[in-house]
């Protein structure tokens, strides 16, 4: 090698012989360039998701439905999420103030028995919905999940209305959770302007969501694991306290189930808990948002859907059973307090036991739970916005995905909406957020109904086109009837919510009613507007006309069926307990 070549090489690739200052400068330049390049558009290559129906046409000759199916299956989102990421993202969105705070008001209105009845009934509905979603996500690992499925398998207008309503829920949840975090701080300091804490938490959430999707998922793993360990710790503490091991001593057992009683406000109380329980599971459907970013959808999504259900259900059922034994439903503190910690049944249970110090620890857990939900809300709303743009239901610029897999512009829109949280210091913030929340109050129920209906229609399309479930790599345990059950139960939740919202205290209350059912009016308005805009006058897409191939990888169907048969034969040779585990978990 010549001296000139050696000199050039030393400049271009500094090694150990180069000066530390030169090496650091070179590395820093590389780091800065990588950071700048990360915001460039993702390099999306045509994948193998084309359907024979579309691959022979020019893109501009495709129908709107064909474009939607194709775009949602070919995005720049990175497939980096694993099983634990999916589990923790779902837990991050579903385990928050619903468990740690709002369960107190449910205990007051329903009683300890109503808590268990309500959550168990809703849990059965959620399992049926979760496995139906799992089947769809494995078959079609596309961006947007169920917002896309409703457009493809039910009706574009329903997909449009449901997608935007669901998006509004998460968009509004971000500022709501940031304000809730500021309120939580009042437990320690109520002399500092709430907007100061909002600014701190806003920057924290902003930074987390500017990370690569894999590192974002890791941050959610940490936040969610803290909640899981807190619940586990409360489980052991609750058993000790019930058995009389607290500082005050005395066996408690099921004393509060007899006095003041197992039920409060009778059947109406049970209905109110039933409705609250349904909303507490909101976020478990986030599994459907992650399909396009999952490493191996075929094996990961079914396990994530089932294990998320069991984990979230166990967290709620076990802890609420303990709460019902430790706190009487007529405790005044369940409804009256100046911070989330002061009305949290977890904190009240610890205070009743006479344990000092732990209430502050529990308040830290509540704060982390709130921030975890806020973090999940940015993820959810940005993915929904991006997917709505992919299928033509939102402005095109929101489809922009950068090289790290972030839907960048959709994330920025979400964070801009999050600036609403700075009204935390206003004395009108409660009123503002009441009506903002009303815009999407029933969106989770609409989403679950859309999942069940999409699954029913997809199975109908398979039958109408002379195909069956043998070509599916994962089949929902309860089949179509599970989705029918989920659809009916979700409708019953809406009926129960109608009664509770219209007659909250025995007499009609218009304000309370519209604070809940305004979202139904918004849904209908979106639905009608899309019908008029697209001149789409059909109620359902005919099963014979559904595209049930775009978005699926090109595979040798005969080979796939052989693999499935081989897997079933191998599973049949395993012990019974293992087969049960693989079937239900």
């Amino acid at each position: 090698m010549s001296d000139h070549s050696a000199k050039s090489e030393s400049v271009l690739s500094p090694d150990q012989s180069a000066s530390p200052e030169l090496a650091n400068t070179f590395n820093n330049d590389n780091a800065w360039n990588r950071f700048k390049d990360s915001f460039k558009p993702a390099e999306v290559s045509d994948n193998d998701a084309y359907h024979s129906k579309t691959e022979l046409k020019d893109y501009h000759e495709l129908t709107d439905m064909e474009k939607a199916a194709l775009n949602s299956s070919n995005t720049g989102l990175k497939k980096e999420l694993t099983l634990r990421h999916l589990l923790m993202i779902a837990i991050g969105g579903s385990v928050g103030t619903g468990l740690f705070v709002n369960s107190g008001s449910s205990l007051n209105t329903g009683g300890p028995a109503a808590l268990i009845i309500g959550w168990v009934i809703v849990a059965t509905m959620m399992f049926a919905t979760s496995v139906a979603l799992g089947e769809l996500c494995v078959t079609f690992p596309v961006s947007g999940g169920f917002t896309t499925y409703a457009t493809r398998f039910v009706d574009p207008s329903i997909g449009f209305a449901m997608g935007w309503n669901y998006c509004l829920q998460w968009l509004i949840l971000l500022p709501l959770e940031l304000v809730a975090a500021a309120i939580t701080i009042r437990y320690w300091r109520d002399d500092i302007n709430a907007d100061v804490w909002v600014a701190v938490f806003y920057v924290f959430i902003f930074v987390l969501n500017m990370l690569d999707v894999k590192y974002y998922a890791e941050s959610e793993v940490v936040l969610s694991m803290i909640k899981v360990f807190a619940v586990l710790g409360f489980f052991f503490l609750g058993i000790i306290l019930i058995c009389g091991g607290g500082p005050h001593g005395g066996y408690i057992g099921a004393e509060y189930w007899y006095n003041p009683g197992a039920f409060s406000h009778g059947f109406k109380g049970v209905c109110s808990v039933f409705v609250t329980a349904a909303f507490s599971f909101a976020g478990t459907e986030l599994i459907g948002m992650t399909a396009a970013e999952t490493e191996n959808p075929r094996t990961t999504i079914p396990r994530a859907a089932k294990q998320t259900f069991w984990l979230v259900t166990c967290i709620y059922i076990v802890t609420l059973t303990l709460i019902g034994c430790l706190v009487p439903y007529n405790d005044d503190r369940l409804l009256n307090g100046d911070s989330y910690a002061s009305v949290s049944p977890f904190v009240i249970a610890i205070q009743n036991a006479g344990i000092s110090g732990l209430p502050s620890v529990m308040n830290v857990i509540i704060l982390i739970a709130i921030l975890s939900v806020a973090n999940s809300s940015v993820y959810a709303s940005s993915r929904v916005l991006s997917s709505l743009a992919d299928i033509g239901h939102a402005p095109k610029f929101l489809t922009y995905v950068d090289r790290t897999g972030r839907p960048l512009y959709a994330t920025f829109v979400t964070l801009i909406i999050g600036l609403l949280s700075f009204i935390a210091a206003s004395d009108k913030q409660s009123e503002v957020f009441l009506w903002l929340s009303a815009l999407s109050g029933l969106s989770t129920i609409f989403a679950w109904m859309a999942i069940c209906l999409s699954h029913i229609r997809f199975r109908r399309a398979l039958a109408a086109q002379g195909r069956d479930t043998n070509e599916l790599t994962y089949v929902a345990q309860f089949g179509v009837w599970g989705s029918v059950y989920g659809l009916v139960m979700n409708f019953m939740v809406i009926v129960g919510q109608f009664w509770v919202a219209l007659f909250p205290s025995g007499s009609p209350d218009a304000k309370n009613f519209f604070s809940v059912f305004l979202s139904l009016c918004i849904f209908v308005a979106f639905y009608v507007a899309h019908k008029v805009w697209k001149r789409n006058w059909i109620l359902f897409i005919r099963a014979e006309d559904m595209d049930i191939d775009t978005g699926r990888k090109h595979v040798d169907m005969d080979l796939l069926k052989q693999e499935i048969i081989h897997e079933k034969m191998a599973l049949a040779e395993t012990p019974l307990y293992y087969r049960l585990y693989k079937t239900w978990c």
Side-chain angles (χ1 to χ4, degrees):
M1 182 183 293
S2 67
D3 292 341
H4 178 73
S5 299
K7 183 177 180 181
S8 298
E9 185 178 0
S10 67
V11 172
L12 293 174
S13 304
D15 55 19
Q16 293 178 351
S17 63
S19 67
E21 292 81 3
L22 181 59
N24 288 336
T25 301
F26 184 86
N27 291 332
N28 288 338
D29 286 344
N30 275 349
W32 174 246
N33 288 332
R34 286 196 300 271
F35 175 72
K36 289 192 300 181
D37 290 344
S38 71
F39 292 95
K40 292 181 179 179
E43 297 176 355
V44 181
S45 58
D46 291 340
N47 61 18
D48 57 354
Y50 284 91
H51 173 221
S52 58
K53 180 180 178 181
T54 64
E55 62 188 355
L56 299 178
K57 298 180 182 180
D58 183 83
Y59 180 81
H60 298 289
E61 296 177 4
L62 303 179
T63 66
D64 288 343
M65 282 301 303
E66 289 171 342
K67 289 179 181 178
L70 186 60
N71 291 340
S72 62
S73 64
N74 195 28
T75 69
L77 298 173
K78 287 193 171 184
K79 296 181 177 294
E80 295 184 337
L81 300 183
T82 61
L83 175 62
R84 65 191 181 89
H85 293 145
L86 268 60
L87 284 171
M88 294 301 115
I89 288 174
I91 289 174
S94 57
V95 179
T97 54
L99 174 66
F100 294 110
V101 180
N102 297 339
S103 57
S105 60
S106 296
L107 175 62
N108 176 266
T109 57
L115 283 182
I116 308 305
I117 293 171
W119 261 270
V120 167
I121 292 175
V122 171
T124 62
M125 172 189 75
M126 276 312 304
F127 187 80
T129 304
S130 295
V131 294
L133 177 60
E135 180 182 309
L136 290 171
C137 287
V138 171
T139 309
F140 304 95
V142 298
S143 68
F146 48 84
T147 59
T148 304
Y149 304 143
T151 297
R152 291 180 61 171
F153 304 134
V154 185
D155 172 46
S157 298
I158 289 180
F160 178 83
M162 187 276 295
W164 271 107
N165 212 260
Y166 186 75
C167 185
L168 284 174
Q169 173 197 349
W170 290 104
L171 284 172
I172 294 166
L173 190 61
L174 173 60
L176 274 174
E177 294 299 316
L178 292 177
V179 171
I183 292 173
T184 304
I185 297 293
R186 290 181 188 171
Y187 185 78
W188 298 294
R189 296 288 300 269
D190 59 0
D191 58 332
I192 299 177
N193 190 296
D195 282 349
V196 173
W197 298 114
V198 167
V200 171
F201 299 137
Y202 183 90
V203 171
F204 175 69
I205 297 298
F206 180 90
V207 171
L208 289 183
N209 283 274
M210 286 297 101
L211 300 175
D212 182 292
V213 64
K214 188 170 184 178
Y215 296 115
Y216 159 82
E218 292 295 343
S219 72
E220 195 58 56
V221 168
V222 173
L223 292 174
S224 295
M225 284 305 299
I226 292 173
K227 292 189 286 189
V228 171
F229 283 124
V231 170
L232 187 62
F234 184 81
F235 169 73
F236 291 110
L237 176 63
I239 291 177
I240 292 171
L241 296 179
I242 291 171
C243 294
H248 289 170
Y251 176 77
I252 300 175
E255 176 184 344
Y256 296 137
W257 283 61
Y258 297 100
N259 182 26
F263 295 96
S264 171
H265 299 91
F267 180 69
K268 187 174 182 179
V270 176
C271 284
S272 67
V273 170
F274 179 61
V275 169
T276 304
F279 286 101
S280 72
F281 277 95
T284 54
E285 73 285 344
L286 286 180
I287 295 296
M289 292 289 108
T290 63
E293 299 177 81
T294 304
E295 283 184 353
N296 187 357
R298 178 186 170 186
T299 59
T300 302
I301 290 179
R303 293 178 62 193
K306 291 182 285 186
Q307 291 181 18
T308 296
F309 162 78
W310 287 115
L311 188 53
V312 172
T313 299
C314 288
I315 286 174
Y316 272 103
I317 298 299
V318 172
T319 53
L320 292 178
T321 299
L322 295 175
I323 287 297
C325 293
L326 292 170
V327 181
Y329 72 71
N330 58 358
D331 193 312
D332 291 336
R333 290 170 294 177
L334 291 171
L335 296 177
N336 300 310
D338 58 358
S339 69
Y340 280 150
S342 61
V343 298
S344 169
F346 290 78
V347 173
I348 294 172
I350 294 171
Q351 290 173 338
N352 288 346
I355 302 175
S356 60
L358 272 185
S360 286
V361 174
M362 201 65 230
N363 199 50
V364 172
I365 302 301
I366 293 172
L367 180 61
I368 291 173
I370 291 170
L371 293 177
S372 177
V373 174
N375 198 30
S376 292
S377 70
V378 179
Y379 178 89
S381 53
S382 62
R383 268 60 181 182
V384 176
L385 275 174
S386 180
S387 68
L388 287 172
D390 281 332
I391 59 180
H393 289 169
K396 185 68 175 177
F397 78 93
L398 294 173
T399 62
Y400 186 92
V401 177
D402 65 23
R403 291 186 180 179
T404 64
R406 297 170 299 202
L408 198 62
Y409 294 162
T411 301
F412 285 153
V413 169
T414 301
L415 291 169
I416 290 171
I417 299 297
L419 294 174
L420 285 171
S421 56
F422 283 96
I423 67 170
S426 169
D427 57 356
K428 298 291 184 182
Q429 58 102 348
S430 296
E431 192 76 11
V432 171
F433 281 122
L434 172 67
W435 292 108
L436 283 176
S437 300
L439 296 176
S440 58
L442 295 171
S443 60
T444 299
I445 306 301
F446 297 153
W448 293 344
M449 294 180 76
I451 291 168
C452 295
L453 190 55
S454 297
H455 183 238
I456 293 169
R457 295 292 297 160
F458 167 63
R459 288 292 194 90
R460 177 72 185 90
L462 278 179
Q465 297 180 26
R467 297 158 70 171
D468 56 35
T469 57
N470 288 332
E471 66 181 62
L472 305 180
T473 56
Y474 171 68
V475 178
Q477 280 86 334
F478 301 114
V480 172
W481 290 110
S483 294
V484 171
Y485 171 75
L487 195 62
V488 171
M489 292 303 294
N490 276 293
F491 179 75
M492 294 304 296
V493 170
I494 293 179
V495 172
Q497 181 75 314
F498 183 91
W499 183 28
V500 172
L502 186 58
F503 302 100
S505 57
S507 57
D509 187 331
K511 179 180 178 181
N512 188 73
F513 176 79
F514 281 106
S515 69
V516 176
F517 274 85
L518 180 61
S519 59
L520 180 59
C521 301
I522 299 297
F523 181 91
V524 173
F526 273 122
Y527 177 80
V528 173
H530 187 269
K531 287 289 184 189
V532 174
W533 174 35
K534 293 293 185 179
R535 300 184 184 278
N536 168 31
W537 309 119
I538 63 172
L539 292 178
F540 289 98
I541 301 172
R542 295 178 63 219
E544 297 81 1
D545 298 333
M546 286 185 200
D547 178 2
I548 56 175
D549 286 296
T550 302
R552 302 171 68 175
K553 299 296 183 183
H554 272 322
V555 295
D556 185 325
M557 193 58 65
D558 292 331
L559 179 60
L560 176 60
K561 290 181 179 180
Q562 288 297 321
E563 289 179 359
I564 295 172
I565 292 173
H566 177 74
E567 290 172 359
K568 290 180 178 179
M569 290 175 61
L571 183 62
E573 296 177 357
T574 59
L576 177 61
Y577 71 86
Y578 184 75
R579 289 189 306 238
L580 290 173
Y581 169 77
K582 292 294 289 185
T583 300
W584 299 105
C585 300

